[in-house]
Structures are given as C-alpha cells and as structure tokens.
Amino acid sequence: MFFVRTASERDVEAIRELLAETWHATYDDIYGVEKVNGIVATWHSAAAIKASIGKRNGEFLVADDGRMLGGIGFAAMSPSLTKTAILHQLYVHPTCQKLGIGRDIFAELETCFPDAEIMRLEVEPKNQRAINFYGRLGFVEVDRTQNCGGVASGIEAIIMEKPLAV
C-alpha cells in the first residue's frame, strides 16, 4: 500500500531515479533515447528536484510504500496566471501504473491550493495514455504550445485545465 506524503530532500535520489525510468518508458519511442537523456539530465537533475521541493507556493508529493516511491507529483501556484495552480509533474513508476497512485497523488494536490480556481498542465500530444488519464480527472484541452516546460524548448504540448472547487 502506498501512502501519499510531502517530499523531502532525503527523497531526491529516489525521485530522480523514478523520473528517469518513467521518462524512458514513456518517451524513448517519441523523442529518442538521446533526447530523453538530455531532458532527464536537466529537467530532473538533483538540483531541479531540490528547487521544486523547496518552492514557495508549491507542493511536492510522493507515494511511498516504505520500500520504494511509486509516484510523484509537483504543483505550484502560477506566478503569472491569476488563481491558477500549475501541475508541473505527475509521474507513476512503470511497475506501479494502474494502481490508483496517480489519482491519489492528484486528489491530494488539488486540495493544496485554496486560492486556485483552475489547475493547468501541459502534456505531450502523442502521450494518449496521459491525455486519457487527465480527461478522467476532469481536464479539458484549452490550448497548445510549441515550448513545453519553458521558453524555446521546441517541445509541443497540449495545455489542459480543470476547474477546482472553490
């Protein structure tokens, strides 16, 4: 059984390993191994994870069974969009998918931002499994971008939003 809890710096290496395994399992066929290695090295470095864990107006959660992390989730209030929380990361280890871990992490994350009226995320258009998952959570497509994750990334993404209970 996995329990959802707040991440700490002692989780950084396990989070980094989970992100690397999950990204390779999900994106090697889409982007290629070399590009995934580059993204993992930068977006999911120990320094980047530590910065997310310590982010003001953010919440970083892990699903932990005492032996391993089955999933992670990170969201934070948008610095530019009014009353909007951004779901930056929601990943479940490949061996733990379809156990309800992603749903449980998201259920906790959506309660962490009482001032937010909207939760927003970006998802790879070829990742139909994730798109379907977010649709089941109540997200709908509202836009698209050519720069997922930051300026000039060159990575296309669907932007999805979900209204949060006020």
Side-chain angles (χ1 to χ4, degrees), residues 128-153:
Q128 194 60 51
R129 193 168 170 186
I131 293 166
N132 293 343
F133 170 77
Y134 291 125
R136 287 191 303 273
L137 293 177
F139 283 89
V140 296
E141 181 176 340
V142 296
D143 203 355
R144 292 194 176 224
T145 181
Q146 296 300 313
N147 294 301
C148 178
V151 177
S153 74

Tab-separated table of all heavy atoms in Angstrom, residues 128-153:
chain	number	residue	atom	x	y	z
A	128	GLN	N	-1.108	9.572	-25.441
A	128	GLN	CA	-2.560	9.395	-25.333
A	128	GLN	C	-2.968	8.826	-23.985
A	128	GLN	O	-4.025	9.176	-23.458
A	128	GLN	CB	-3.075	8.508	-26.465
A	128	GLN	CG	-4.571	8.553	-26.629
A	128	GLN	CD	-5.096	9.953	-26.932
A	128	GLN	OE1	-4.609	10.622	-27.832
A	128	GLN	NE2	-6.076	10.410	-26.174
A	129	ARG	N	-2.141	7.997	-23.415
A	129	ARG	CA	-2.460	7.419	-22.101
A	129	ARG	C	-2.592	8.518	-21.045
A	129	ARG	O	-3.526	8.507	-20.244
A	129	ARG	CB	-1.359	6.437	-21.730
A	129	ARG	CG	-1.682	5.565	-20.583
A	129	ARG	CD	-0.657	4.455	-20.506
A	129	ARG	NE	-0.816	3.738	-19.278
A	129	ARG	CZ	-0.015	2.812	-18.869
A	129	ARG	NH1	1.031	2.477	-19.595
A	129	ARG	NH2	-0.218	2.204	-17.735
A	130	ALA	N	-1.668	9.481	-21.057
A	130	ALA	CA	-1.732	10.591	-20.096
A	130	ALA	C	-2.926	11.501	-20.403
A	130	ALA	O	-3.624	11.942	-19.480
A	130	ALA	CB	-0.430	11.396	-20.121
A	131	ILE	N	-3.165	11.770	-21.667
A	131	ILE	CA	-4.300	12.619	-22.051
A	131	ILE	C	-5.600	11.990	-21.553
A	131	ILE	O	-6.455	12.679	-20.987
A	131	ILE	CB	-4.321	12.845	-23.576
A	131	ILE	CG1	-3.103	13.676	-24.008
A	131	ILE	CG2	-5.621	13.515	-24.013
A	131	ILE	CD1	-2.843	13.668	-25.504
A	132	ASN	N	-5.754	10.686	-21.750
A	132	ASN	CA	-6.955	9.989	-21.269
A	132	ASN	C	-7.054	10.046	-19.752
A	132	ASN	O	-8.134	10.256	-19.195
A	132	ASN	CB	-6.957	8.538	-21.744
A	132	ASN	CG	-7.112	8.410	-23.243
A	132	ASN	OD1	-7.523	9.346	-23.933
A	132	ASN	ND2	-6.749	7.258	-23.765
A	133	PHE	N	-5.929	9.854	-19.061
A	133	PHE	CA	-5.901	9.919	-17.600
A	133	PHE	C	-6.376	11.292	-17.122
A	133	PHE	O	-7.259	11.399	-16.264
A	133	PHE	CB	-4.483	9.620	-17.087
A	133	PHE	CG	-4.296	9.882	-15.625
A	133	PHE	CD1	-4.786	8.992	-14.682
A	133	PHE	CD2	-3.627	11.011	-15.182
A	133	PHE	CE1	-4.610	9.230	-13.317
A	133	PHE	CE2	-3.450	11.259	-13.836
A	133	PHE	CZ	-3.943	10.361	-12.899
A	134	TYR	N	-5.802	12.350	-17.684
A	134	TYR	CA	-6.198	13.699	-17.268
A	134	TYR	C	-7.657	13.986	-17.621
A	134	TYR	O	-8.354	14.661	-16.861
A	134	TYR	CB	-5.261	14.747	-17.870
A	134	TYR	CG	-3.868	14.683	-17.287
A	134	TYR	CD1	-2.760	14.538	-18.109
A	134	TYR	CD2	-3.654	14.748	-15.917
A	134	TYR	CE1	-1.476	14.469	-17.574
A	134	TYR	CE2	-2.383	14.682	-15.371
A	134	TYR	CZ	-1.305	14.543	-16.212
A	134	TYR	OH	-0.043	14.473	-15.679
A	135	GLY	N	-8.121	13.471	-18.739
A	135	GLY	CA	-9.535	13.623	-19.088
A	135	GLY	C	-10.443	12.987	-18.042
A	135	GLY	O	-11.470	13.558	-17.667
A	136	ARG	N	-10.061	11.811	-17.547
A	136	ARG	CA	-10.851	11.149	-16.493
A	136	ARG	C	-10.846	11.968	-15.201
A	136	ARG	O	-11.788	11.889	-14.413
A	136	ARG	CB	-10.327	9.738	-16.220
A	136	ARG	CG	-10.664	8.750	-17.318
A	136	ARG	CD	-10.375	7.307	-16.928
A	136	ARG	NE	-9.002	7.058	-16.535
A	136	ARG	CZ	-8.000	6.760	-17.355
A	136	ARG	NH1	-8.221	6.706	-18.672
A	136	ARG	NH2	-6.795	6.510	-16.886
A	137	LEU	N	-9.807	12.777	-14.983
A	137	LEU	CA	-9.745	13.628	-13.788
A	137	LEU	C	-10.532	14.928	-13.969
A	137	LEU	O	-10.656	15.697	-13.022
A	137	LEU	CB	-8.287	13.963	-13.444
A	137	LEU	CG	-7.416	12.816	-12.981
A	137	LEU	CD1	-5.978	13.302	-12.751
A	137	LEU	CD2	-7.962	12.163	-11.719
A	138	GLY	N	-11.029	15.172	-15.177
A	138	GLY	CA	-11.830	16.375	-15.416
A	138	GLY	C	-11.131	17.472	-16.195
A	138	GLY	O	-11.671	18.564	-16.360
A	139	PHE	N	-9.927	17.209	-16.708
A	139	PHE	CA	-9.207	18.204	-17.506
A	139	PHE	C	-9.725	18.204	-18.938
A	139	PHE	O	-10.117	17.162	-19.464
A	139	PHE	CB	-7.708	17.874	-17.540
A	139	PHE	CG	-6.972	18.233	-16.283
A	139	PHE	CD1	-6.888	17.318	-15.245
A	139	PHE	CD2	-6.352	19.463	-16.139
A	139	PHE	CE1	-6.197	17.628	-14.077
A	139	PHE	CE2	-5.667	19.779	-14.982
A	139	PHE	CZ	-5.586	18.859	-13.951
A	140	VAL	N	-9.701	19.391	-19.565
A	140	VAL	CA	-10.052	19.541	-20.976
A	140	VAL	C	-8.969	20.367	-21.672
A	140	VAL	O	-8.328	21.220	-21.052
A	140	VAL	CB	-11.433	20.207	-21.181
A	140	VAL	CG1	-12.552	19.340	-20.632
A	140	VAL	CG2	-11.467	21.592	-20.567
A	141	GLU	N	-8.793	20.112	-22.955
A	141	GLU	CA	-7.819	20.877	-23.729
A	141	GLU	C	-8.304	22.313	-23.896
A	141	GLU	O	-9.452	22.547	-24.270
A	141	GLU	CB	-7.610	20.246	-25.109
A	141	GLU	CG	-6.587	20.972	-25.949
A	141	GLU	CD	-6.307	20.313	-27.283
A	141	GLU	OE1	-6.593	19.104	-27.456
A	141	GLU	OE2	-5.783	21.012	-28.173
A	142	VAL	N	-7.394	23.285	-23.635
A	142	VAL	CA	-7.735	24.696	-23.798
A	142	VAL	C	-6.809	25.419	-24.768
A	142	VAL	O	-7.125	26.510	-25.235
A	142	VAL	CB	-7.751	25.453	-22.440
A	142	VAL	CG1	-8.839	24.897	-21.528
A	142	VAL	CG2	-6.389	25.416	-21.759
A	143	ASP	N	-5.649	24.810	-25.077
A	143	ASP	CA	-4.694	25.472	-25.957
A	143	ASP	C	-3.580	24.484	-26.298
A	143	ASP	O	-3.595	23.338	-25.844
A	143	ASP	CB	-4.103	26.703	-25.259
A	143	ASP	CG	-3.552	27.751	-26.223
A	143	ASP	OD1	-3.522	27.506	-27.449
A	143	ASP	OD2	-3.115	28.814	-25.741
A	144	ARG	N	-2.618	24.965	-27.082
A	144	ARG	CA	-1.410	24.193	-27.415
A	144	ARG	C	-0.213	25.130	-27.361
A	144	ARG	O	-0.368	26.337	-27.494
A	144	ARG	CB	-1.521	23.558	-28.791
A	144	ARG	CG	-2.596	22.465	-28.800
A	144	ARG	CD	-2.509	21.596	-30.010
A	144	ARG	NE	-3.501	20.528	-29.886
A	144	ARG	CZ	-3.259	19.267	-30.158
A	144	ARG	NH1	-2.065	18.899	-30.568
A	144	ARG	NH2	-4.202	18.362	-30.040
A	145	THR	N	0.963	24.551	-27.164
A	145	THR	CA	2.196	25.331	-27.154
A	145	THR	C	3.270	24.572	-27.919
A	145	THR	O	3.206	23.346	-28.032
A	145	THR	CB	2.683	25.621	-25.709
A	145	THR	OG1	3.876	26.413	-25.767
A	145	THR	CG2	2.957	24.349	-24.930
A	146	GLN	N	4.222	25.285	-28.426
A	146	GLN	CA	5.389	24.682	-29.083
A	146	GLN	C	6.598	24.671	-28.147
A	146	GLN	O	7.690	24.281	-28.558
A	146	GLN	CB	5.728	25.450	-30.362
A	146	GLN	CG	4.644	25.390	-31.409
A	146	GLN	CD	4.337	23.957	-31.843
A	146	GLN	OE1	5.232	23.171	-32.114
A	146	GLN	NE2	3.060	23.614	-31.891
A	147	ASN	N	6.412	25.109	-26.905
A	147	ASN	CA	7.519	25.242	-25.961
A	147	ASN	C	7.155	24.709	-24.588
A	147	ASN	O	7.177	25.436	-23.595
A	147	ASN	CB	7.971	26.695	-25.882
A	147	ASN	CG	8.578	27.146	-27.200
A	147	ASN	OD1	9.548	26.568	-27.670
A	147	ASN	ND2	7.981	28.154	-27.814
A	148	CYS	N	6.857	23.426	-24.518
A	148	CYS	CA	6.509	22.784	-23.251
A	148	CYS	C	7.651	22.925	-22.248
A	148	CYS	O	8.816	22.745	-22.592
A	148	CYS	CB	6.227	21.296	-23.492
A	148	CYS	SG	5.845	20.373	-21.995
A	149	GLY	N	7.311	23.272	-21.040
A	149	GLY	CA	8.294	23.323	-19.968
A	149	GLY	C	9.154	24.559	-19.948
A	149	GLY	O	9.949	24.735	-19.038
A	150	GLY	N	9.031	25.441	-20.934
A	150	GLY	CA	9.828	26.662	-20.893
A	150	GLY	C	10.047	27.252	-22.270
A	150	GLY	O	9.793	26.619	-23.304
A	151	VAL	N	10.554	28.455	-22.261
A	151	VAL	CA	10.790	29.208	-23.483
A	151	VAL	C	11.798	28.474	-24.367
A	151	VAL	O	12.832	28.002	-23.886
A	151	VAL	CB	11.300	30.628	-23.146
A	151	VAL	CG1	11.636	31.409	-24.401
A	151	VAL	CG2	10.264	31.366	-22.321
A	152	ALA	N	11.476	28.354	-25.638
A	152	ALA	CA	12.361	27.799	-26.667
A	152	ALA	C	12.722	26.327	-26.470
A	152	ALA	O	13.743	25.873	-26.966
A	152	ALA	CB	13.623	28.654	-26.797
A	153	SER	N	11.879	25.551	-25.774
A	153	SER	CA	12.176	24.119	-25.624
A	153	SER	C	11.960	23.387	-26.945
A	153	SER	O	12.573	22.349	-27.179
A	153	SER	CB	11.305	23.485	-24.531
A	153	SER	OG	9.966	23.328	-24.974
